[in-house]
Amino acid sequence: MAAAPLSRSCARRRLQAHHRPLAPRLRPARLCAGWRLSAGYAGYAAVTMDEVEDAVNWCNAHDIQIITHANGEGASDMLIAAIGAAQAKYGARPIRPTLVHGQFLREDQIDSYQCHGVFLPA
C-alpha cells in the first residue's frame, strides 16, 4: 500500500525528528564484544531499534534517501537489520541509502551494506 503524500514542511519536520546519529563519537560508539573503552563499557545507542526501523521504513515508504551515522559495530548491526527489513517490506527502492560515519565496521557488515545497496563513502 502506498503511503499518503506529505507536505514539504511535514516531511522536513519528520526528517529533523529522525536526524539523530546512532552513535556520534568514539566514546559513545555502540561497540560489540572485544572492545574495552573502560571496565564493562561498550558504548551506547543514541536511538532505539524501533526509532531506527521507523526512520528507515518512513524513508523507504516516501522514496526519500536516508543518510546515516552508525558508529560502531553494534550501531551498524541495528542499521543493517532495519534496512534489510525495510527492503523486504517495500522492495528495492531507488533511494540510495548512505552511511556517512561508520567507523569500526566488521568485514561482514561491509558486505551486508553492499548487498543492501548502501553507499559507503571513502
Side-chain angles (χ1 to χ4, degrees):
M1 179 190 316
L6 296 176
S7 69
R8 184 177 290 248
S9 62
C10 181
R12 185 179 302 118
R13 283 193 306 274
R14 180 73 180 228
L15 289 174
Q16 288 169 346
H18 289 296
H19 184 70
R20 289 186 286 161
L22 294 183
R25 294 172 296 281
L26 170 61
R27 178 75 177 149
R30 183 70 183 123
L31 303 171
C32 294
W35 292 93
R36 292 290 177 249
L37 299 177
S38 61
Y41 182 76
Y44 69 92
V47 294
T48 66
M49 187 62 193
D50 286 341
E51 291 173 311
V52 175
E53 289 171 340
D54 183 52
V56 172
N57 282 327
W58 187 85
C59 286
N60 275 270
H62 294 90
D63 288 328
I64 294 175
Q65 181 183 32
I66 186 164
I67 300 173
T68 60
H69 296 213
N71 194 358
E73 308 108 308
S76 280
D77 285 339
M78 293 170 68
L79 183 59
I80 290 166
I83 290 172
Q87 288 179 348
K89 182 176 181 177
Y90 296 101
R93 310 297 275 200
I95 60 172
R96 195 175 182 186
T98 301
L99 176 65
V100 293
H101 294 143
Q103 294 84 349
F104 305 104
L105 293 173
R106 297 185 311 261
E107 287 184 30
D108 65 295
Q109 290 175 319
I110 294 170
D111 294 340
S112 293
Y113 278 130
Q114 289 175 339
C115 286
H116 290 309
V118 177
F119 177 66
L120 303 171

